[in-house]
Amino acid sequence: MTIVVYDGKHIAADKQLHNGFVKYSINKLWHCGDSVYGFAGSLCAVGAFKHWVRSGKDVDNFPSVVDIDRGIELYVIEVKKGGTCWLYENGQYPTLMTDYPVVIGAEAAMFAVRVLYAATTLLHEFSIVDIDAITAVRALCTQPLFSEVSAFDVLNWHPVTGVSIDFL
């Protein structure tokens, strides 16, 4: 299960990757130029997407590895310096996202984060608590490996202390 959340201030993701019957830890956030990317989907599609980003994001040269019929999918949140958020869904043309949180990953995790944010909104009105993207991801990630979180502070443009992020 992958979960990537952007709340307008932070982008956060779990670090667990399944490859067949093997689980291991990987950063699902990466920084390149003036953008931070968070991914969910097939590892081969993610690798091709990273190469496409490093090569300048030419829409005519988008990797052809995505094949929904074969289960090779790709979902990416791109947060640009300044906080603008774009969502890529299996293609080279992203959608501008203006309502937060923006969530990609397993359907159950997305539903759970929406519930967390709905509860946060209600609780925040009563000044009880505020749940941000990092807290939401940590709350959903309770298994070993899966409990590791990557996060990036978009407002101050640096990785969050105590977590890691890859740089392209």
Side-chain angles (χ1 to χ4, degrees):
M1 180 174 90
T2 290
I3 182 72
V4 181
V5 181
Y6 176 59
D7 64 4
K9 297 178 283 187
H10 298 96
I11 183 170
D14 73 280
K15 293 180 73 175
Q16 181 173 290
L17 182 69
H18 290 267
N19 189 1
F21 294 104
V22 178
K23 282 194 235 181
Y24 53 95
S25 182
I26 186 173
N27 275 325
K28 295 178 183 175
L29 299 181
W30 14 276
H31 178 274
C32 184
D34 284 341
S35 294
V36 175
Y37 299 86
F39 71 83
S42 303
L43 193 55
C44 62
V46 170
F49 185 86
K50 284 182 177 182
H51 178 73
W52 179 69
V53 168
R54 282 186 294 233
S55 300
K57 297 198 295 190
D58 179 0
V59 295
D60 294 328
N61 290 321
F62 188 75
S64 60
V65 69
V66 172
D67 186 344
I68 297 168
D69 293 334
R70 290 185 26 223
I72 301 172
E73 297 186 57
L74 176 69
Y75 299 91
V76 178
I77 293 174
E78 177 186 11
V79 180
K80 294 180 181 266
K81 196 169 190 175
T84 306
C85 181
W86 296 88
L87 176 63
Y88 291 86
E89 297 179 275
N90 294 314
Q92 67 270 46
Y93 299 106
T95 302
L96 177 63
M97 306 303 289
T98 56
D99 293 324
Y100 304 118
V102 177
V103 183
I104 58 174
E107 287 182 31
M110 290 192 289
F111 175 75
V113 169
R114 292 282 184 196
V115 169
L116 281 171
Y117 273 93
T120 299
T121 301
L122 180 61
L123 294 172
H124 188 65
E125 288 178 13
F126 296 99
S127 300
I128 297 173
V129 69
D130 186 22
I131 300 174
D132 63 8
I134 300 166
T135 305
V137 171
R138 282 189 175 133
L140 294 167
C141 302
T142 57
Q143 301 173 18
L145 278 179
F146 200 62
S147 62
E148 296 180 45
V149 175
S150 297
F152 194 87
D153 181 337
V154 174
L155 299 178
N156 296 304
W157 206 247
H158 62 79
V160 174
T161 304
V163 294
S164 59
I165 184 170
D166 287 343
F167 291 83
L168 287 181

